[in-house]
Amino acid sequence: MSAILKDPLLHLRPMQEADVEAVAAVETEAYEFPWSPGIFLDCLRVGYCCWVCILRREVVAYGVMSVAVGESHILNLCVRPDMQGQGLGRKLLGYLLGVARGHHTDTVFLEVRPSNRVAIGLYSTLGFNQVGVRRAYYPARRGREDALILARSL
Ligand SMILES: CC(C)(COP(=O)(O)OP(=O)(O)OC[C@H]1O[C@@H](n2cnc3c(N)ncnc32)[C@H](O)[C@@H]1OP(=O)(O)O)[C@@H](O)C(=O)NCCC(=O)NCCS
């Protein structure tokens, strides 16, 4: 286990509106086409499951998941770039799957760019399989990029 996962000052808690500025700063560092702060606020206001991973009072990762009858949808999963590759993404995704289970979810869905090899590696080791493609779903530097739709039964 990486040292960071053993750090007693690492913890997960529900995201609050006061976190959105820090979350959006990580989002801008991590993605070429980031969500705006307003999107995170909307997610909180509609009651999506939004979690932050805190280390020494700083947001180092977060996840956003919608939960409906029987199915959940992971809408965002992100680790601060300087913290990537140390197991935080796996820990957070595992936690979100537990939250989904607690809501009696049968199937968890998510979308991922085919170019995002790291994320696809993570999802496949946690039991996600491709169930479809959304054509031209994401903005890209040149035009649009498809989304792979992945799903996992719980
Ligand atoms: C995708 C992301 C959430 C993964 O989180 P992470 O903390 O970096 O990943 P972890 O350290 O938990 O590693 C989990 C798995 O990802 C894959 N992975 C991680 N780093 C990798 C790398 N550099 N190269 C290839 N695969 C890698 C491996 O399958 C790894 O499993 P392993 O440790 O058993 O080999 C993170 O890289 C991220 O936030 N990326 C930017 C935002 C993003 O793309 N989010 C996903 C949108 S769908």
Side-chain angles (χ1 to χ4, degrees):
M1 196 194 287
S2 77
I4 205 165
L5 293 182
K6 290 192 218 145
D7 193 316
L9 295 177
L10 180 77
H11 65 280
L12 281 161
R13 64 160 171 76
M15 190 188 296
Q16 299 158 4
E17 291 201 3
D19 297 314
V20 164
E21 191 179 333
V23 166
V26 173
E27 171 86 4
T28 303
E29 264 189 77
Y31 288 106
E32 196 173 358
F33 298 94
W35 283 8
S36 66
I39 294 178
F40 288 103
L41 286 171
D42 287 346
C43 289
L44 285 168
R45 287 172 188 164
V46 298
Y48 290 167
C49 297
C50 304
W51 288 82
V52 283
C53 191
I54 303 288
L55 179 65
R56 297 171 205 281
R57 298 192 184 171
E58 289 184 12
V59 172
V60 290
Y62 51 87
V64 175
M65 179 173 68
S66 68
V67 179
V69 179
E71 61 184 56
S72 295
H73 202 125
I74 294 174
L75 303 169
N76 200 336
L77 178 82
C78 186
V79 176
R80 204 171 76 187
D82 64 320
M83 295 283 167
Q84 290 176 7
Q86 300 176 73
L88 282 176
R90 182 179 294 282
K91 180 183 170 79
L92 183 54
L93 182 55
Y95 188 81
L96 290 178
L97 293 177
V99 171
R101 245 181 232 112
H103 283 87
H104 309 292
T105 290
D106 299 320
T107 311
V108 181
F109 293 91
L110 58 83
E111 276 95 25
V112 62
R113 290 176 188 261
S115 60
N116 195 343
R117 305 316 305 177
V118 171
I120 291 170
L122 169 61
Y123 299 142
S124 61
T125 59
L126 280 173
F128 283 85
N129 292 300
Q130 186 180 337
V131 294
V133 176
R134 284 190 213 287
R135 297 278 168 220
Y137 183 74
Y138 291 114
R141 267 194 217 173
R142 291 173 20 159
R144 312 277 302 177
E145 182 173 359
D146 292 344
L148 306 182
I149 307 170
L150 307 188
R152 185 208 141 136
S153 302
L154 289 183

